[in-house]
Amino acid sequence: MDADLYAPGDGWLHRADPRVKFLISTVMLVLCLIWRNWAFILDVLIIEHLMLITDGVPLKRIGWVWKILAVIIVFIVVLWPIFDPSGTHVLWQWGWLKLTQENLLMAAVMGLRIPALGFACFLTLFTTSQTRLIRGFTSLGMPYKAGLTIATALRYIPVFFSIWQSVSAAQRARGLDLSGKTDASGNKRNVFVRIGARCKSYLPILIAVLIRAYKMSQSVGWAMESRGLNLQGAKRTYRVKLTMRVVDWLILVLTMAATAGSVWLMLHY
């Protein structure tokens, strides 16, 4: 397991300042949330894909996002007309189920909005390493301790996952049954009893993982204190230094201009 979504590369988005990418992602998120025009959201989605492809992000990563979002998109598109019978232009009706031009259009909007919002975030996550990501947050005013907490959490997510796997394997080697399909006498359990038994079987694994996590967090805390964390009067320095290049300022200006144009279109159409 890897909690880092960063795809190493040297494309134009990879080289861009993370603060500029924060702005691009934020603008796309806000515009997709407030505008209910399917054509506009589709255009944003196409632009996001073009940005990722021209930057050199692997198509496998883009397909991975679609694979994750596919089920959610299908559920929204199918269920939206069922739970939203609004609209005056009825296309088909059977009992309480009513399909109208308005609710089908809104279902399309919501189906496009989900991937547009997702890729707006992945524009930054795929092209920014964890160190530059956290450094970008701290340069915008995030407290150093908060940035350190986020960086440490991201670093140790895969570590805790590997601990969970090793403890689970050790417990299964000692005869622990994690399936919960049968009881002690070998009789099959029904679905509800099986779920309860399975949750109960994970309890010893959870306790062991929590104990190891506590010991690890204690060791990390001591290591940080030995390196001067919270030392009064010390000037904070950073290994990663961010500087805005001419290209970054150009991307920033283009983003602001595109945002202004989008707002103008929203108000007049």
Side-chain angles (χ1 to χ4, degrees):
M1 178 182 179
D2 189 0
D4 191 359
L5 297 173
Y6 174 63
D10 192 36
W12 65 276
L13 264 179
H14 281 79
R15 296 192 301 269
D17 191 283
R19 293 166 291 188
V20 176
K21 288 183 277 190
F22 293 161
L23 176 63
I24 296 174
S25 295
T26 302
V27 167
M28 288 184 170
L29 286 170
V30 173
L31 291 178
C32 289
L33 283 172
I34 63 177
W35 209 342
R36 303 175 66 176
N37 187 303
W38 68 270
F40 170 79
I41 299 178
L42 179 60
D43 290 340
V44 171
L45 190 58
I46 293 173
I47 291 172
E48 291 168 347
H49 280 72
L50 289 176
M51 293 174 67
L52 290 172
I53 292 173
T54 55
D55 177 71
V57 174
L59 296 178
K60 184 178 180 180
R61 286 294 185 100
I62 300 176
W64 173 77
V65 177
W66 279 108
K67 184 178 179 180
I68 293 177
L69 298 178
V71 177
I72 302 175
I73 296 171
V74 171
F75 267 102
I76 290 177
V77 172
V78 172
L79 295 178
W80 190 274
I82 298 176
F83 292 97
D84 179 26
S86 62
T88 57
H89 300 83
V90 180
L91 301 177
W92 181 80
Q93 185 171 2
W94 182 57
W96 57 271
L97 180 60
K98 181 171 64 173
L99 299 181
T100 66
Q101 182 178 342
E102 289 79 6
N103 64 17
L104 288 178
L105 185 61
M106 194 60 195
V109 169
M110 296 304 298
L112 291 171
R113 179 178 288 172
I114 296 300
L117 294 175
F119 278 103
C121 298
F122 286 116
L123 281 176
T124 298
L125 296 176
F126 280 162
T127 61
T128 313
S129 62
Q130 287 185 2
T131 53
R132 288 177 61 84
L133 184 70
I134 303 302
R135 184 66 187 95
F137 285 136
T138 56
S139 66
L140 292 175
M142 174 183 285
Y144 173 79
K145 291 182 180 179
L148 179 63
T149 302
I150 296 175
T152 306
L154 293 173
R155 166 66 180 83
Y156 280 97
I157 287 175
V159 175
F160 289 142
F161 182 74
S162 63
I163 292 174
W164 178 276
Q165 287 182 317
S166 62
V167 172
S168 299
Q171 294 286 5
R172 286 197 299 268
R174 291 171 173 83
L176 179 64
D177 181 19
L178 298 178
S179 64
K181 294 182 179 180
T182 59
D183 56 18
S185 60
N187 298 322
K188 289 187 177 181
R189 296 186 173 107
N190 60 54
V191 176
F192 300 102
V193 176
R194 185 186 306 173
I195 293 175
R198 188 169 185 178
C199 293
K200 187 178 179 180
S201 64
Y202 276 102
L203 186 60
I205 299 176
L206 180 61
I207 293 174
V209 171
L210 289 177
I211 293 173
R212 293 183 64 175
Y214 172 75
K215 291 181 178 179
M216 185 177 297
S217 63
Q218 192 177 45
S219 300
V220 172
W222 288 340
M224 290 181 177
E225 288 182 2
S226 67
R227 287 164 175 77
L229 184 66
N230 283 335
L231 184 64
Q232 299 297 325
K235 183 179 179 181
R236 174 62 56 193
T237 58
Y238 296 93
R239 181 177 62 88
V240 177
K241 296 182 180 180
L242 302 179
T243 55
M244 289 285 290
R245 305 168 301 153
V246 176
V247 177
D248 295 325
W249 286 109
L250 179 60
I251 297 174
L252 182 65
V253 172
L254 291 176
T255 302
M256 297 303 295
T259 304
S262 300
V263 173
W264 184 86
L265 288 174
M266 185 187 307
L267 295 175
H268 291 82
Y269 291 95

